[in-house]
Amino acid sequence: MALYGYARVSTADQDCTLQEQALRAAGCEIIRAEKVSASRREGRTELALLLEFLRPGDTLMVTRVDRLARSIKDLQDIVYLLKDRRVTLRATEQPIDTQSASGKAFLDMLGVFAEFETNLRRERQREGIAAAKARGVYRGRTPSIDPAEVQRLRTEEHLGASAIARRLGIGRASVYRALARSRGVP
């Protein structure tokens, strides 16, 4: 029966050190940490490795439930996976312990609030972008592809979409879109 820790931060400029210290203080000898957004489990290689490694009787420890998942669906999926493997989930900063009824209830409530917070953040971001567009301040991301260069490579050098994509370091679909736009196709 081992105690494993999982730490996660969302952006490269954040640091997992405080989470790792809290997990070590809670008794975790092995801690997996990563810097990746957690709106979904995809792309979280350290979590996937840890979930694969856990055995019956083990405990997965996090500092807070939002380090594990941001959506209630993803949290429930992880909790059900742990339950099927007879692994306990605990948190250092929240009264979560899936071995107790109150710990399970608190986990469900925190999951709902974490998802609510994420949805509010997205909503505020969309509203901010819409307001900036209305003021003429926001124009979106600057184009990374020069449609004129794509067209030139096609007509002057007679390159195909794959060759253009390789030369410019972009995807073939981007080449096709740029060519379509240069022909006036939306």
Side-chain angles (χ1 to χ4, degrees):
M1 299 202 319
L3 186 61
Y4 297 97
Y6 176 70
R8 183 193 60 79
V9 290
S10 299
T11 61
D13 61 330
Q14 294 176 323
D15 188 26
C16 292
T17 305
L18 292 176
Q19 290 179 56
E20 291 174 4
Q21 288 172 349
L23 292 169
R24 280 198 204 334
C28 297
E29 291 182 21
I30 298 174
I31 298 170
R32 305 303 298 190
E34 56 192 343
K35 295 182 179 189
V36 64
S37 178
S39 57
R40 285 179 288 160
R41 226 181 333 163
E42 296 165 8
R44 296 170 63 196
T45 55
E46 294 298 320
L47 178 61
L49 178 68
L50 192 54
L51 291 175
E52 231 5 82
F53 192 75
L54 293 167
R55 300 292 174 246
D58 289 345
T59 298
L60 174 60
M61 178 78 74
V62 293
T63 54
R64 294 185 327 264
V65 72
D66 66 335
R67 300 296 86 204
L68 189 59
R70 284 276 173 92
S71 77
I72 191 69
K73 167 84 169 89
D74 196 33
L75 179 61
Q76 287 174 337
D77 289 347
I78 292 170
V79 170
Y80 288 133
L81 176 73
L82 295 174
K83 183 179 176 184
D84 283 346
R85 294 188 180 171
R86 297 190 320 271
V87 173
T88 301
L89 174 64
R90 290 182 24 212
T92 61
E93 298 177 20
Q94 299 160 327
I96 294 172
D97 184 341
T98 56
Q99 286 184 328
S100 72
S102 61
K104 289 176 190 174
F106 193 77
L107 175 67
D108 289 342
M109 286 187 289
L110 282 177
V112 168
F113 287 119
E115 184 170 357
F116 178 63
E117 179 183 346
T118 300
N119 291 337
L120 284 176
R121 190 178 315 108
R122 280 193 196 119
E123 203 172 275
R124 286 190 303 267
Q125 181 182 20
R126 280 194 302 269
E127 290 169 355
I129 290 171
K133 283 181 178 179
R135 290 189 317 269
V137 177
Y138 183 87
R139 297 206 181 358
R141 186 171 63 97
T142 56
S144 59
I145 300 168
D146 180 7
E149 178 63 9
V150 172
Q151 186 64 35
R152 187 192 71 74
L153 291 171
R154 179 72 166 176
T155 57
E156 292 178 17
E157 296 189 29
H158 306 290
L159 296 178
S162 295
I164 294 170
R166 272 192 301 279
R167 170 100 47 106
L168 298 177
I170 60 176
R172 269 191 6 213
S174 298
V175 171
Y176 290 126
R177 277 192 298 275
L179 291 171
R181 275 191 227 113
S182 69
R183 289 191 308 265
V185 177

